[in-house]
Amino acid sequence: PSSAGSFLQTASASGVSMTLERRATMHTKVGSALRGDNPKMAYFGTITVGSPPQDFVVVFDTGSGNLIVPGTECESEACKSHKQYNMVKSEAAKRINCDGSMVTDQADEITITFGTGKVTGQCIQDKICIGSACSTGAFISSLEESSNPFDSFTFDGVLGLALPMMAQSNMFSVMSRMQGEALLRQPLFSVFLSESDHEVSEVTFGAIKHEHMASDLFWVNVSGIAGYWEVLIEDVTIGGKRQNICKDCRVAVDTGTSQLAGPSEVVGQLTSALNVKENCDNYDSLPELGFIVGGRVLTMEKEHYVDKGYKEARRSCSMALMSLDIPPPTGPIFIFGIPFLQKYYTVYDPVNSRVGFAVAKHQGSTPSVLLSATDLDRPARGGSFLAAAAARK
């Protein structure tokens, strides 16, 4: 079919790359207003649905499983303030059940929760295009959206890129459709998020772009069963020292969340240990915060975990690590959102159920050294362990 051909033609070169736009946001996907005076960055791209195509600005979200866009039948303000999909105007559209099966009597509906908000929608099969790559797939067209948080979102919808088990069925999963028809050179996708407007952010389907990497790529197996791209945290470090406060924690790598988040108990321990002064007096001396994942130390500097702003015309600093308690069996879990993904280039491999990490290469900045966990335990001679690790590089 022609739709498969367009996928194949694009993928046969270097993968299907979608340029992402940076925008400021004051809300997270989990439905909580961001703390502090400074908005966070979020990244969006344009896809089309229907024939002829209808454009939608979506967040490419590794923390959810389905494509969701507002429908014209939705009367919620959250829908009407965004682009709405019109099924009547698409030649290829047809209603399906939300398990992917064909409708024999009356089609069902589905309700999906997003933190404090929810979406109720009908399920539709239609032509879906990511750039020049098009295929027939299934998605959710909203019939109702809660005002919190969707009313304030600066994008129309969400393109879920979680593991296929989080989608309603393989028809709803972008990667399942591509993989099932062998349409990509490699059945994976990768994400590079810029730190400024001087470089291009992109999500690439079917290829790993080594030009975005400032270190070797290492792989970590997915540890959960819920469909998140989650991996084990072996421990947390502060200033290169193990803290023994988060043994065998889990973290989900989530391109759809603008913050870092974690279980309130652990976040409280980290807040006490880091002791960020509200008046920013100790900002310049704050240490690196690290997470040991797959035997490597993934570090974040103070600009990643501290919100700086002004309160009553005075400088103000606070932890940018949000408390988020998700009950078992999905939680407790950390969320690594945009601040982490700006520093690390990530690759998502659904076939082998693993995530790849590398230090991202950004224009005009010196990348940090990717340390092995064994570097933390090996006493340095004639200098700090950081200097020793740099020398080994």
Side-chain angles (χ1 to χ4, degrees), residues 213-237:
M213 295 164 45
S215 74
D216 291 336
L217 185 78
F218 70 95
W219 294 98
V220 184
N221 290 332
V222 170
S223 61
I225 58 173
Y228 292 105
W229 294 100
E230 64 179 82
V231 296
L232 285 177
I233 296 175
E234 297 158 37
D235 200 355
V236 177
T237 67

Side-chain angles (χ1 to χ4, degrees), residues 145-163:
E145 292 184 359
S146 59
S147 58
N148 180 17
F150 301 103
D151 201 15
S152 61
F153 277 173
T154 55
F155 52 88
D156 302 314
V158 176
L159 178 64
L161 293 173
L163 285 160

Side-chain angles (χ1 to χ4, degrees), residues 225-226 228 230 250 263 324-334:
I225 58 173
Y228 292 105
E230 64 179 82
R250 291 175 293 138
L324 181 66
D325 290 314
I326 300 175
T330 303
I333 193 170
F334 271 89

Side-chain angles (χ1 to χ4, degrees), residues 70-72 74-84 145 151:
T72 52
C74 179
E75 294 295 326
S76 306
E77 285 301 318
C79 289
K80 293 195 290 185
S81 61
H82 296 94
K83 291 283 294 291
Q84 292 175 273
E145 292 184 359
D151 201 15

Side-chain angles (χ1 to χ4, degrees), residues 29-30 60-64 193 228-229 251-259 334-338 340-341 348:
K29 182 185 65 181
V30 295
F60 288 74
D61 181 18
T62 57
S64 65
L193 300 185
Y228 292 105
W229 294 100
V251 59
V253 186
D254 189 350
T255 58
T257 295
S258 297
Q259 276 192 296
F334 271 89
I335 307 292
F336 281 175
I338 299 301
F340 174 85
L341 291 158
Y348 305 83

